[in-house]
Amino acid sequence: MSKFDKIIQKILNGLSDQNIDFPEFLNMIINLGFELRQKGSHHILTKDGIEEIINIQPKNGKAKSYQVKQVREIIIKYKLNSAIDG
């Protein structure tokens, strides 16, 4: 299982939202096809066909749990995890 697969599974299972490494979280979102713009500490990610705009910031090197939840909801809503489900 790749690092990408591990982080997306960790996010989808929802059991460790407070313990997601921010750089891994950001890279996972980019690997899902989102484009990154950065303004200061704000990482703004968009993707064609996705109406939501993802705006995330690190907190002590970790992703904020409410932002992990928001990204999980986007992954599920748009079935972005279908590529890893086989």
Side-chain angles (χ1 to χ4, degrees), residues 62-77:
K62 301 287 183 187
K64 295 178 180 181
S65 60
Y66 78 92
Q67 293 171 344
V68 173
K69 183 179 183 221
Q70 289 172 344
V71 170
R72 177 173 46 252
E73 290 170 356
I74 291 169
I75 291 169
I76 293 167
K77 177 179 179 180

Side-chain angles (χ1 to χ4, degrees), residues 1-67:
M1 185 180 276
S2 72
K3 199 172 205 176
F4 172 77
D5 292 335
K6 287 179 184 175
I7 188 77
I8 201 164
Q9 288 298 351
K10 192 175 185 181
I11 288 167
L12 289 174
N13 76 27
L15 299 176
S16 56
D17 288 358
Q18 297 178 1
N19 196 28
I20 303 290
D21 183 65
F22 185 81
E24 289 180 4
F25 183 56
L26 178 60
N27 285 331
M28 186 240 6
I29 298 169
I30 291 169
N31 285 332
L32 288 171
F34 285 81
E35 293 184 29
L36 173 66
R37 267 190 5 224
Q38 188 170 350
K39 286 188 164 194
S41 66
H42 290 256
H43 298 72
I44 301 162
L45 299 115
T46 58
K47 181 176 176 167
D48 287 341
I50 308 291
E51 64 182 66
E52 293 87 352
I53 295 171
I54 298 172
N55 183 351
I56 58 174
Q57 311 85 37
K59 182 176 182 181
N60 300 323
K62 301 287 183 187
K64 295 178 180 181
S65 60
Y66 78 92
Q67 293 171 344

